[in-house]
Amino acid sequence: MKTKEETMKRGEFLRSLGLSSATLMAFYCLGTTMSSCGSKQDDPDPSTGGGSGVSGTTSGNNINFTVDLTNSTYSKLKTAGSFEVIGDVLVAFTSSNGYVALSKICTHEGTTLRYRSQQNDLFCSSHSSEFSLTGAVEQGPATTALKAYKASASADGNTLTVTV
Ligand code: FES
């Protein structure tokens, strides 16, 4: 025979289940926020080859790759003010300096940088560090310069080569 007390206990049990799954969700969300805050350096980017339009080594210490600027993925790099992240490298086509290639990894905590055409610099959205096109720190909290690579376009403007 079921007593009133047993019924209540089941109600309490269900309530406590609800509470604990809400708590679990809170932890899950916290974890998600933390993992997207940019402190990881090992983004799961395809790092070698880079798929259609790119050939060579696009990550690690021996960066050496070519980009087919006639490929639809990269043809926008023919427009001044645009940029692309290829493997570990950010390639930008600037109005003043032509093609530049620098490490995409913010030296503060590893966030992927972006090129800002108006300021003509690289910017980190995590904590607002700024880098010049030579890789020098213009604004902290980053204190270490970015690695800069050599970027040169072929005479016909259809192939870009990036090397250490
Ligand atoms: S990760 Fe902190 S400024 Fe870039």
Side-chain angles (χ1 to χ4, degrees):
M1 125 186 139
K2 272 190 195 166
T3 65
K4 222 178 191 177
E5 198 183 326
E6 276 176 327
T7 312
M8 277 181 66
K9 270 185 183 159
R10 193 165 37 198
E12 277 168 20
F13 175 68
L14 286 174
R15 258 202 309 282
S16 72
L17 258 189
L19 187 67
S20 64
S21 53
T23 310
L24 280 173
M25 278 304 286
F27 275 114
Y28 173 75
C29 292
L30 186 65
T32 307
T33 307
M34 285 180 70
S35 67
S36 66
C37 80
S39 57
K40 281 172 69 183
Q41 299 222 1
D42 53 345
D43 289 346
D45 282 351
S47 55
T48 306
S52 166
V54 174
S55 58
T57 304
T58 59
S59 70
N61 295 327
N62 300 310
I63 299 288
N64 187 342
F65 62 91
T66 57
V67 184
D68 177 2
L69 297 177
T70 65
N71 183 290
S72 58
T73 307
Y74 301 106
S75 54
K76 75 169 188 179
L77 276 174
K78 288 185 166 194
T79 307
S82 64
F83 76 99
E84 272 288 333
V85 170
I86 301 169
D88 285 349
V89 181
L90 183 152
V91 176
F93 186 36
T94 70
S95 1
S96 53
N97 304 65
Y99 284 103
V100 295
L102 296 123
S103 168
K104 72 167 186 184
I105 303 166
C106 180
T107 55
H108 180 227
E109 287 183 359
T111 296
T112 296
L113 300 165
R114 66 183 168 88
Y115 169 67
R116 299 190 299 185
S117 58
Q118 283 207 326
Q119 292 83 351
N120 203 33
D121 68 3
L122 268 62
F123 177 73
C124 180
S125 57
S126 285
H127 314 104
S128 305
S129 283
E130 297 172 12
F131 302 87
S132 77
L133 297 184
T134 62
V137 176
E138 289 184 331
Q139 170 78 48
T143 55
T144 306
L146 291 175
K147 179 148 187 57
Y149 301 101
K150 295 182 193 117
S152 58
S154 60
D156 63 6
N158 288 334
T159 307
L160 181 70
T161 304
V162 176
T163 54
V164 177

